[in-house]
Short mmCIF file of all heavy atoms in Angstrom, two decimals:
data_model
loop_
_atom_site.label_atom_id
_atom_site.label_comp_id
_atom_site.label_asym_id
_atom_site.label_seq_id
_atom_site.Cartn_x
_atom_site.Cartn_y
_atom_site.Cartn_z
N VAL A 1 12.93 -5.07 11.42
CA VAL A 1 11.94 -5.54 10.42
C VAL A 1 12.25 -4.85 9.11
O VAL A 1 12.39 -3.60 9.07
CB VAL A 1 10.51 -5.23 10.87
CG1 VAL A 1 9.53 -5.52 9.74
CG2 VAL A 1 10.12 -6.08 12.10
N THR A 2 12.40 -5.62 8.06
CA THR A 2 12.62 -5.07 6.70
C THR A 2 11.30 -5.00 5.97
O THR A 2 10.23 -5.35 6.50
CB THR A 2 13.66 -5.90 5.94
OG1 THR A 2 13.24 -7.25 5.93
CG2 THR A 2 15.02 -5.82 6.62
N ASP A 3 11.32 -4.53 4.72
CA ASP A 3 10.08 -4.31 3.99
C ASP A 3 9.25 -5.59 3.87
O ASP A 3 9.77 -6.68 3.62
CB ASP A 3 10.42 -3.80 2.59
CG ASP A 3 10.70 -2.32 2.58
OD1 ASP A 3 9.79 -1.53 2.90
OD2 ASP A 3 11.83 -1.94 2.22
N LEU A 4 7.97 -5.41 4.06
CA LEU A 4 6.98 -6.47 3.90
C LEU A 4 6.37 -6.33 2.53
O LEU A 4 6.46 -5.26 1.87
CB LEU A 4 5.92 -6.35 4.98
CG LEU A 4 6.45 -6.35 6.41
CD1 LEU A 4 5.43 -5.75 7.38
CD2 LEU A 4 6.85 -7.75 6.83
N ALA A 5 5.69 -7.37 2.06
CA ALA A 5 5.02 -7.28 0.77
C ALA A 5 4.08 -6.11 0.71
O ALA A 5 3.91 -5.48 -0.33
CB ALA A 5 4.28 -8.60 0.49
N SER A 6 3.47 -5.76 1.88
CA SER A 6 2.51 -4.67 1.92
C SER A 6 3.12 -3.31 1.61
O SER A 6 2.39 -2.35 1.30
CB SER A 6 1.81 -4.64 3.28
OG SER A 6 2.76 -4.48 4.31
N THR A 7 4.42 -3.20 1.75
CA THR A 7 5.08 -1.95 1.35
C THR A 7 4.61 -1.51 -0.04
O THR A 7 4.33 -0.33 -0.30
CB THR A 7 6.61 -2.07 1.36
OG1 THR A 7 7.05 -2.37 2.71
CG2 THR A 7 7.29 -0.80 0.88
N PHE A 8 4.51 -2.49 -0.95
CA PHE A 8 4.16 -2.21 -2.33
C PHE A 8 2.68 -2.54 -2.66
O PHE A 8 2.13 -1.98 -3.59
CB PHE A 8 5.08 -2.95 -3.28
CG PHE A 8 6.53 -2.49 -3.13
CD1 PHE A 8 7.44 -3.28 -2.40
CD2 PHE A 8 6.96 -1.30 -3.68
CE1 PHE A 8 8.76 -2.86 -2.27
CE2 PHE A 8 8.27 -0.89 -3.54
CZ PHE A 8 9.16 -1.64 -2.84
N THR A 9 2.08 -3.46 -1.92
CA THR A 9 0.71 -3.85 -2.25
C THR A 9 -0.33 -2.96 -1.57
O THR A 9 -1.49 -2.93 -2.04
CB THR A 9 0.44 -5.32 -1.87
OG1 THR A 9 0.62 -5.48 -0.45
CG2 THR A 9 1.40 -6.25 -2.63
N ALA A 10 0.02 -2.26 -0.51
CA ALA A 10 -0.97 -1.44 0.21
C ALA A 10 -1.45 -0.28 -0.63
O ALA A 10 -2.56 0.22 -0.45
CB ALA A 10 -0.39 -0.93 1.51
N GLY A 11 -0.62 0.20 -1.53
CA GLY A 11 -1.03 1.32 -2.41
C GLY A 11 -1.09 2.64 -1.67
O GLY A 11 -1.83 3.53 -2.07
N THR A 12 -0.25 2.78 -0.63
CA THR A 12 -0.26 4.04 0.14
C THR A 12 1.17 4.60 0.24
O THR A 12 2.15 3.86 0.25
CB THR A 12 -0.81 3.87 1.56
OG1 THR A 12 0.10 3.04 2.31
CG2 THR A 12 -2.18 3.23 1.54
N ALA A 13 1.24 5.93 0.34
CA ALA A 13 2.52 6.59 0.55
C ALA A 13 3.09 6.18 1.91
O ALA A 13 4.30 6.02 2.08
CB ALA A 13 2.38 8.08 0.45
N ALA A 14 2.21 6.05 2.91
CA ALA A 14 2.66 5.71 4.26
C ALA A 14 3.40 4.39 4.26
O ALA A 14 4.46 4.24 4.90
CB ALA A 14 1.47 5.66 5.22
N ALA A 15 2.84 3.37 3.55
CA ALA A 15 3.50 2.05 3.51
C ALA A 15 4.87 2.16 2.84
O ALA A 15 5.82 1.50 3.25
CB ALA A 15 2.62 1.06 2.79
N LEU A 16 4.96 3.00 1.82
CA LEU A 16 6.22 3.13 1.09
C LEU A 16 7.32 3.81 1.88
O LEU A 16 8.51 3.68 1.55
CB LEU A 16 5.97 3.88 -0.23
CG LEU A 16 5.19 3.08 -1.29
CD1 LEU A 16 4.65 3.97 -2.38
CD2 LEU A 16 6.08 1.97 -1.88
N VAL A 17 6.94 4.56 2.94
CA VAL A 17 7.97 5.20 3.79
C VAL A 17 8.08 4.45 5.14
O VAL A 17 8.61 4.98 6.08
CB VAL A 17 7.74 6.70 3.99
CG1 VAL A 17 7.84 7.43 2.67
CG2 VAL A 17 6.42 6.97 4.68
N GLY A 18 7.58 3.22 5.19
CA GLY A 18 7.93 2.39 6.32
C GLY A 18 6.90 2.17 7.40
O GLY A 18 7.21 1.59 8.44
N PHE A 19 5.67 2.61 7.16
CA PHE A 19 4.64 2.49 8.22
C PHE A 19 4.46 1.04 8.68
O PHE A 19 4.44 0.75 9.87
CB PHE A 19 3.29 3.03 7.70
CG PHE A 19 2.21 3.08 8.72
CD1 PHE A 19 1.99 4.25 9.47
CD2 PHE A 19 1.39 1.99 8.97
CE1 PHE A 19 0.99 4.29 10.43
CE2 PHE A 19 0.37 2.03 9.92
CZ PHE A 19 0.18 3.19 10.65
N ASP A 20 4.37 0.13 7.72
CA ASP A 20 4.12 -1.29 8.07
C ASP A 20 5.34 -1.91 8.76
O ASP A 20 5.19 -2.75 9.65
CB ASP A 20 3.71 -2.05 6.85
CG ASP A 20 2.36 -1.65 6.28
OD1 ASP A 20 1.73 -0.76 6.88
OD2 ASP A 20 1.92 -2.21 5.26
N MET A 21 6.53 -1.51 8.33
CA MET A 21 7.75 -2.01 9.01
C MET A 21 7.74 -1.60 10.48
O MET A 21 8.00 -2.41 11.36
CB MET A 21 9.00 -1.46 8.34
CG MET A 21 9.36 -2.06 6.99
SD MET A 21 11.04 -1.65 6.51
CE MET A 21 10.94 0.10 6.13
N THR A 22 7.45 -0.34 10.71
CA THR A 22 7.41 0.18 12.10
C THR A 22 6.35 -0.50 12.90
O THR A 22 6.56 -0.91 14.06
CB THR A 22 7.21 1.70 12.09
OG1 THR A 22 8.36 2.33 11.52
CG2 THR A 22 6.95 2.22 13.50
N LYS A 23 5.16 -0.67 12.32
CA LYS A 23 4.07 -1.31 13.05
C LYS A 23 4.41 -2.71 13.47
O LYS A 23 4.21 -3.15 14.63
CB LYS A 23 2.79 -1.29 12.19
CG LYS A 23 1.55 -1.82 12.89
CD LYS A 23 0.31 -1.64 12.02
CE LYS A 23 -0.93 -2.09 12.74
NZ LYS A 23 -2.14 -1.89 11.89
N GLU A 24 5.01 -3.50 12.55
CA GLU A 24 5.37 -4.88 12.85
C GLU A 24 6.52 -4.94 13.86
O GLU A 24 6.56 -5.77 14.76
CB GLU A 24 5.77 -5.61 11.56
CG GLU A 24 6.33 -7.01 11.78
CD GLU A 24 5.35 -7.96 12.46
OE1 GLU A 24 4.13 -7.69 12.46
OE2 GLU A 24 5.82 -9.00 13.00
N ALA A 25 7.50 -4.03 13.73
CA ALA A 25 8.61 -3.99 14.67
C ALA A 25 8.10 -3.67 16.08
O ALA A 25 8.54 -4.30 17.07
CB ALA A 25 9.66 -2.99 14.23
N GLY A 26 7.22 -2.71 16.19
CA GLY A 26 6.64 -2.38 17.49
C GLY A 26 5.89 -3.56 18.07
O GLY A 26 6.03 -3.89 19.28
N ARG A 27 5.10 -4.27 17.26
CA ARG A 27 4.36 -5.42 17.75
C ARG A 27 5.30 -6.47 18.34
O ARG A 27 5.05 -6.99 19.43
CB ARG A 27 3.56 -6.06 16.60
CG ARG A 27 2.68 -7.21 17.03
CD ARG A 27 2.08 -7.93 15.83
NE ARG A 27 3.07 -8.65 15.08
CZ ARG A 27 3.54 -9.86 15.42
NH1 ARG A 27 3.12 -10.45 16.54
NH2 ARG A 27 4.44 -10.47 14.68
N GLN A 28 6.36 -6.76 17.62
CA GLN A 28 7.31 -7.78 18.08
C GLN A 28 7.97 -7.36 19.40
O GLN A 28 8.11 -8.17 20.33
CB GLN A 28 8.38 -8.05 17.04
CG GLN A 28 7.85 -8.77 15.81
CD GLN A 28 8.96 -9.12 14.83
OE1 GLN A 28 10.12 -9.32 15.20
NE2 GLN A 28 8.66 -9.16 13.54
N VAL A 29 8.39 -6.10 19.48
CA VAL A 29 9.11 -5.65 20.69
C VAL A 29 8.19 -5.57 21.89
O VAL A 29 8.57 -5.95 23.00
CB VAL A 29 9.79 -4.29 20.39
CG1 VAL A 29 10.21 -3.61 21.71
CG2 VAL A 29 10.97 -4.50 19.48
N PHE A 30 6.96 -5.14 21.73
CA PHE A 30 6.02 -5.10 22.83
C PHE A 30 5.79 -6.49 23.36
O PHE A 30 5.72 -6.70 24.57
CB PHE A 30 4.70 -4.46 22.41
CG PHE A 30 4.80 -3.02 22.02
CD1 PHE A 30 3.95 -2.50 21.05
CD2 PHE A 30 5.73 -2.18 22.57
CE1 PHE A 30 4.01 -1.18 20.65
CE2 PHE A 30 5.84 -0.86 22.17
CZ PHE A 30 4.99 -0.34 21.22
N GLU A 31 5.72 -7.48 22.48
CA GLU A 31 5.51 -8.86 22.93
C GLU A 31 6.75 -9.39 23.65
O GLU A 31 6.65 -10.04 24.69
CB GLU A 31 5.12 -9.77 21.76
CG GLU A 31 4.87 -11.19 22.20
CD GLU A 31 3.91 -11.93 21.32
OE1 GLU A 31 3.22 -11.31 20.50
OE2 GLU A 31 3.84 -13.18 21.43
N GLN A 32 7.92 -9.09 23.12
CA GLN A 32 9.18 -9.55 23.77
C GLN A 32 9.29 -8.93 25.15
O GLN A 32 9.70 -9.62 26.11
CB GLN A 32 10.38 -9.11 22.93
CG GLN A 32 10.57 -9.81 21.62
CD GLN A 32 11.66 -9.17 20.78
OE1 GLN A 32 12.46 -8.42 21.29
NE2 GLN A 32 11.66 -9.47 19.50
N ALA A 33 8.99 -7.65 25.26
CA ALA A 33 9.18 -6.94 26.50
C ALA A 33 8.06 -7.17 27.54
O ALA A 33 8.21 -6.88 28.72
CB ALA A 33 9.32 -5.44 26.25
N GLY A 34 6.92 -7.66 27.06
CA GLY A 34 5.73 -7.78 27.93
C GLY A 34 5.19 -6.41 28.34
O GLY A 34 4.62 -6.27 29.42
N LEU A 35 5.32 -5.46 27.46
CA LEU A 35 4.90 -4.06 27.75
C LEU A 35 4.01 -3.58 26.61
O LEU A 35 4.11 -4.05 25.47
CB LEU A 35 6.12 -3.14 27.85
CG LEU A 35 7.14 -3.44 28.94
CD1 LEU A 35 8.34 -2.54 28.77
CD2 LEU A 35 6.53 -3.23 30.34
N GLY A 36 3.14 -2.65 26.95
CA GLY A 36 2.36 -1.95 25.96
C GLY A 36 2.81 -0.52 25.82
O GLY A 36 3.61 -0.03 26.64
N ILE A 37 2.32 0.18 24.84
CA ILE A 37 2.79 1.55 24.61
C ILE A 37 2.55 2.48 25.78
O ILE A 37 3.34 3.38 26.06
CB ILE A 37 2.18 2.12 23.31
CG1 ILE A 37 2.89 3.40 22.88
CG2 ILE A 37 0.67 2.35 23.47
CD1 ILE A 37 4.33 3.24 22.50
N ASP A 38 1.51 2.23 26.55
CA ASP A 38 1.23 3.06 27.71
C ASP A 38 2.17 2.81 28.89
O ASP A 38 2.15 3.56 29.87
CB ASP A 38 -0.22 2.89 28.16
CG ASP A 38 -1.21 3.48 27.20
OD1 ASP A 38 -0.92 4.57 26.66
OD2 ASP A 38 -2.28 2.89 26.97
N ASP A 39 2.98 1.77 28.80
CA ASP A 39 3.98 1.48 29.85
C ASP A 39 5.24 2.31 29.72
O ASP A 39 6.08 2.30 30.59
CB ASP A 39 4.32 0.01 29.87
CG ASP A 39 3.14 -0.85 30.27
OD1 ASP A 39 2.45 -0.50 31.23
OD2 ASP A 39 2.91 -1.88 29.57
#
């Protein structure tokens, strides 16, 4: 997952260092794998 518009529109340091990219990448992979973080 590359930068989303929210990287710059969220107005947070966390978004600028990739928080939203990681969150979206995790969401996609959990759905692909059929697993949740507790698995």
Side-chain angles (χ1 to χ4, degrees):
V1 171
T2 55
D3 279 297
L4 306 161
S6 59
T7 297
F8 297 101
T9 61
T12 67
L16 289 164
V17 297
F19 186 94
D20 293 359
M21 287 194 289
T22 292
K23 186 174 182 178
E24 174 60 20
R27 183 190 71 79
Q28 290 185 29
V29 166
F30 296 148
E31 182 152 345
Q32 291 171 17
L35 299 171
I37 192 64
D38 288 323
D39 294 315

